[in-house]
Structures are given as C-alpha cells and as structure tokens.
Amino acid sequence: MPDEVLDCRGQRCPLPVIAAARRMPEVPVGTVVRVLADDPAAAVDIPAWCRMRGQEFVAAITGPDGPAYDIRRAH
Amino acid sequence: MSASPVYLDAATAAPMHPVARQALLAALDDGWADPGKLYTQARRARQLLDAAREAVAQTLGVRADELSFTPSGTTAAHGAVLGGLAGRRRVGSTLVHSAIEHSAVLHAAERHVAAGGDAHPVPVDRLGRLDLTAWSDAVRGPGVALAALITASHEVGTVQPVAEAAAACADAGVPLYVDAAQSVGRVPLPAGWSVLTASAHKWGGPPGVGLLAVRKGTRWESPWPADEREGGRTPGSVNLPAVVAAAASLRAAAADAAAEETRLAPLVDRIRARVAAEVPDVEVVGDPVLRLPHLVTFSCLYVDGEALLHALDRRGFAVSSGSSCTSSTLRPSHVLEAMGVLSHGNVRVSLHRETTEADVERFLAELPGIVAGLRAEAGVVGL
C-alpha cells in the first residue's frame, strides 16, 4: 500500500507529473506516493519522469479510483 | 514585431518543389481530360499519365504496371493493408504490424479487427527500433496474412531494420507491406517488400497524391468497389495535373537526395546536440545514428506541448508535436507511448530543401528562452 495519495484526477498532462515532482522531494526517502491520474499521457509520462529523475516507478494500478501510479522516493 | 517564418514541418508536408509547381501549371493546360477515353485530348492525358507512372516506377525500382496513383498517402496505406489482408484471407486473418505504424495503417487495422480479424502489434525499444525477435516470432505464427512495417518512424526518425524484418517474412511466407512515406525521395529504399506506399507532399509534390506499389506475384485484392482505373487497385479518376507534378518533383528530389542527406543530417546532429546541451531537462528521442536525415524529436519536461507549439509559432517557427494536448483525441502519440519516452512538451522538427543553416541557428538560439519562459509561467523552475 502507498504511504500517501496524490489526487490528480481531472488534470491534464503535464500537471500530474508536476504535482509528483513537487511532492516527492518533501517526503522521506523510501516513501511510496500513489498518483491518481486519469489523463492517458500520465501512463507514459510518470514512468518517464521516474527514469529521468532516478526515482523508482513501482507500478501502474487500476483500482476503484481509476488509473494510479506508485512512485517510491529512491534518493 | 512578428518574426520571419521558418517552416520546420516537412514530415507533415514539404513546401512544394519549384519543379512540381511548373509541372502542375503545365498539366492544368493539357492534362485535364480523362485518360481512359479515345479522342485527342484523352490521348494527351494518357501520355502524361503513362510518363508520370514510368518516371515514378523508375525511381522506386518497380515496373510501371505495379504502380498505382491514389488520392492520398492515407488511401494508399488503407488499400495496402486491407487489400493485402483480403488477398490472403484463405491463409488467415492476422495482421502483424509494428507498434509505431502511421495512424493510417492502425486505422485500417482497427477496421480489420472490427470485421472479425486479428491485429498483432510488435513492440519497439526505447529508441523506437523494432523488436526483431518478437517480429520474427509473430510472423511465424498461424494464420498471418500480412505484415506491416514503416521504413522509418515519421515521429522520431528511427530507421527500421526492414531487410531483417523482410527476411523473417520471407521465411514465414508472409508478404511485407512497407509504409515508405518518410523515405521516398530522401533515402534509398530497403529491399524485400511486396507492397509499398508513399505520399507526394512529403517529398515536395502536391497534396492529394499517394503511391501504391504491389509487386508482381503478391496476393493482393482491391478492398474497394470495382473500378478498372489504376490497375484496378484504387477507384476514381486520378488528379492528373497533381500526379504529373508529383512525378516531376520526385525525380528532382531523388536526384538531389544524396546531396540533401549530406547537407541536412549534420543540421539534425546539431539540433540533437545543442537542444540536449542548452535546454535543461529535455529528452531527445529516437536513434542517434540509425535515423532519417531530416527529422528530430525531443520532449521538454513539465512543458505543455500545445503552449510550446503556440509560443514557437508566435516566433515564426512551424513544428509538429506528439503531445496529447495537441491531438484531437487528447491521447499522447502512440509512437512515444510505445517507446516509453516522455510525451508532454514534445516537438518534432523536420527539415527540407529550403531549410538553411541560419534557420536552424535561429531556432536553436530562441528555443532555450522559449522553454524557460513557459516553465517560469507554469512555476516549475527548479523542480
């Protein structure tokens, strides 16, 4: 389970990626943040952001809240 | 004050070659009649059509009777896919295609699936290059009627391993269709294909002319209602003045192709290097070496693609984008998605015969400031 949830539903890319980029440096290393984002570009751009920033992309999930993306702060 | 225009979207439509313009005007005067009729005006039109077909066939390295002119590159792609599948329906109903085909090919595939057929997309790697092992496995599968592979990506420029893919198809006895829209008139064509399509406005011909070449012996059956024109492969009267212009400009483009490749490829190298060095948080995508000479794509982190296109347009730069906010479907480019690269803030720059070094330098000089300005407006600096 994630440590916290960032609700970006209804936001168009790049806004969910920006929200994740703002939040990740504020949480302790090792924290898993779940980004809820229904913009289809998030499925591409959140893993790409993790790769560019050296953060860990844990998984893409489709749950009751729609598409979600788990990111673990790696450094 | 508005900046002087710099058109950098040749991969969508290249500015018309002066030879195309001359040929078009001349053919409007004596190429308007129906080439299928039996009077003097028709014979003149027939001569023009035959000469155009002969010239294009020579450039492609096919026989004239293997080549048809279609009303667009899109129609040619639809015909190639649906006709290739129809011709082999007794073998099976599976279409194997790369995940990065042009939307025209994918839309034809959707039609095929809606009618009960199967489509099997084959993945690409991070650089946009076909997974040859997956491709070879897929074409060897049961009931494969046709395989479709773009010669080089229209979105990121990565040249595909067509010769190897064609060899796998030949081993499996599956005909290969290649969408050569970004290659014809620019780079040498690969070998081993059975069906090929292209589009005249990509090489400096007029819009509204496509090419469909079907090699002898290929099981291909027209998916359209019967029509005897153009070898029975595409219905309707051809736009003869446009076809004449397309043929004349293809000959000119092919004659200059090697020199243009030598001139444009270093400009693309320069864009790749300078954008990566001078714009922070940018991902330059596509294969750095095995790529088209005229096309380069990059994505700028945290930047809205539509805002970037508008900002560039205000400075006179016409470019294209694969970002979702710039598409009518609000989905990101399926090509960028298949590669797993950043899709927002995406820009495709494609050069042509009128592009100068000064144009490229001005673009490179202005881009970092434009991106920085958009990031400052969005409050994402330092993220």
Side-chain angles (χ1 to χ4, degrees), chain B residues 21-22 53 116 154 167 178 202 217 230 235 259 280 296 300 303 313 346:
Chain B
R21 185 184 164 78
Q22 288 163 13
R53 196 184 316 280
H154 60 300
V178 294
K202 311 293 190 194
E230 291 302 301
V296 50
C300 305
V303 174
D313 183 48
N346 178 258

Side-chain angles (χ1 to χ4, degrees), chain B residues 55-140:
Chain B
V56 173
Q58 215 168 51
T59 302
L60 298 184
V62 302
R63 289 166 43 157
D65 61 357
E66 293 174 326
L67 176 68
S68 302
F69 295 109
T70 67
S72 66
T74 299
T75 316
H78 290 169
V81 171
L82 297 176
L85 290 165
R88 299 232 318 149
R89 63 176 166 265
R90 274 178 290 279
V91 177
S93 65
T94 298
L95 169 69
V96 171
H97 63 83
S98 84
I100 59 161
E101 293 304 298
H102 190 276
S103 57
V105 171
L106 298 182
H107 289 152
E110 283 165 20
R111 166 63 64 94
H112 174 64
V113 169
D118 294 310
H120 183 140
V122 176
V124 296
D125 64 16
R126 180 72 40 79
L127 296 176
R129 197 169 156 87
L130 182 74
D131 179 339
L132 267 173
T133 308
W135 172 271
S136 302
D137 290 346
V139 297
R140 269 199 302 268

Side-chain angles (χ1 to χ4, degrees), chain A residues 21-22 44-45 49 51 53, chain B residues 126 281 283 302 343-344 379:
Chain A
R22 284 215 168 95
V44 185
D45 289 352
W49 177 84
R51 180 167 48 73
R53 283 289 183 260
Chain B
R126 180 72 40 79
D281 289 327
E283 190 165 48
Y302 309 136
S343 80
H344 66 248

Side-chain angles (χ1 to χ4, degrees), chain B residues 307-351:
Chain B
L308 183 51
L309 288 203
H310 288 314
L312 286 166
D313 183 48
R314 278 196 296 276
R315 296 299 305 156
F317 299 108
V319 299
S320 197
S321 174
S323 296
S324 54
C325 46
T326 66
S327 86
S328 57
T329 59
L330 295 178
R331 289 197 64 85
S333 143
H334 66 277
V335 176
L336 302 177
E337 194 173 5
M339 293 166 64
V341 296
L342 198 66
S343 80
H344 66 248
N346 178 258
V347 168
R348 179 186 71 182
V349 172
S350 49
L351 316 182

Side-chain angles (χ1 to χ4, degrees), chain B residues 251-269:
Chain B
R251 190 152 42 185
D256 293 344
E260 278 295 274
E261 182 171 358
T262 306
R263 188 177 75 85
L264 297 179
L267 292 177
V268 166
D269 281 335

